[in-house]
Amino acid sequence: MSFELPKLPYSYDALEPYIDARTMEIHLTKHHQGYTNNLNNAIAGTEMEGKSIEAILENLDMNNKAVRNNGGGYYNHCLYWEIMAPNAGGKPTGALAEAINDAFGSFDAFADAFAAAAKTRFGSGWAWLTVHKGGKVEVCSTPNQDNPLMPNVGCEGTPILGIDVWEHAYYLNYQNRRPDYVNAFFNVINWDEVSRRYNENK
Ligand code: MN3
């Protein structure tokens, strides 16, 4: 029993012009495949083998760099593919919209906070929207392939939205213009899926 690379729920070119097909293909078949293979190798023959990725990350020894980097990379990209969609963007509705208003005052204030977290993450990493038990939402960011499920990363709750700000996520189309990629990302956020994750984990 080992982790498998997921299938994209849309075609490589489905998110154009915001994210180009070549970036999507390389990102999935090279980067995410690499994390998947390295994770499987790192847990083979250990007590982590056969556990869910969430259980592995929540109980992680942060000194275990192989599982930290590759388990994080595996989980983070699985989430990233699912919270994007073609013909998406806009704003959330329902309970998630209310939680965002409660935490930030408005959707625009949330968008500013999320974009700022993504744009100011130094080097490689991720920005997140997480939900705490009870329904409160939070924006935060983590370096490298860390994520809020891991212990003591300064970012709590269950991730329900995440943006990859490693250069491999945007460099072919945007070169060094990370802010342009972050702004474009809002056009492909699948709020139905983010809401589903909110309701499941609140
Ligand atoms: Mn990536």
Side-chain angles (χ1 to χ4, degrees):
M1 178 64 195
S2 55
F3 292 104
E4 291 183 5
L5 189 70
K7 293 255 188 290
L8 279 190
Y10 38 75
S11 61
Y12 291 132
D13 65 359
L15 304 183
E16 290 192 349
Y18 308 111
I19 303 180
D20 64 283
R22 185 80 176 125
T23 294
M24 291 296 290
E25 181 173 6
I26 294 171
H27 203 169
L28 178 74
T29 65
K30 305 297 183 192
H31 294 277
H32 198 181
Q33 183 72 68
Y35 297 124
T36 305
N37 295 347
N38 292 335
L39 171 62
N40 286 330
N41 290 335
I43 64 172
T46 75
E47 47 88 30
M48 288 178 274
E49 196 169 17
K51 293 193 173 162
S52 72
I53 189 62
E54 290 85 356
I56 289 172
L57 298 182
E58 285 166 359
N59 298 292
L60 185 63
D61 169 4
M62 294 295 272
N63 293 315
N64 186 335
K65 291 288 171 58
V67 177
R68 180 177 177 177
N69 291 331
N70 294 293
Y74 178 77
Y75 174 92
N76 295 347
H77 290 85
C78 289
L79 178 137
Y80 180 67
W81 310 132
E82 290 189 8
I83 55 81
M84 296 191 290
N87 307 311
K91 297 179 181 181
T93 56
L96 174 58
E98 288 175 27
I100 284 174
N101 285 336
D102 287 346
F104 299 97
S106 69
F107 177 81
D108 288 348
F110 149 74
D112 286 347
F114 184 79
K119 291 171 185 176
T120 61
R121 163 50 53 193
F122 183 76
S124 298
W126 293 73
W128 306 102
L129 178 66
T130 70
V131 60
H132 295 241
K133 287 294 172 205
K136 183 177 179 293
V137 292
E138 171 186 352
V139 163
C140 57
S141 83
T142 52
N144 303 312
Q145 296 296 353
D146 288 356
N147 72 42
L149 295 181
M150 296 175 182
N152 305 316
V153 293
C155 210
E156 307 281 322
T158 303
I160 58 174
L161 173 67
I163 180 171
D164 187 344
V165 295
W166 286 57
E167 283 190 342
H168 67 230
Y170 62 86
Y171 202 86
L172 290 179
N173 196 29
Y174 294 97
Q175 294 80 51
N176 62 324
R177 301 188 309 278
R178 185 194 290 184
D180 291 356
Y181 157 71
V182 172
N183 294 339
F185 177 77
F186 284 91
N187 294 293
V188 297
I189 296 175
N190 180 355
W191 285 112
D192 289 345
E193 174 62 16
V194 180
S195 281
R196 191 191 67 73
R197 288 169 182 262
Y198 175 82
N199 291 324
E200 190 175 283
N201 292 287
K202 71 182 177 181

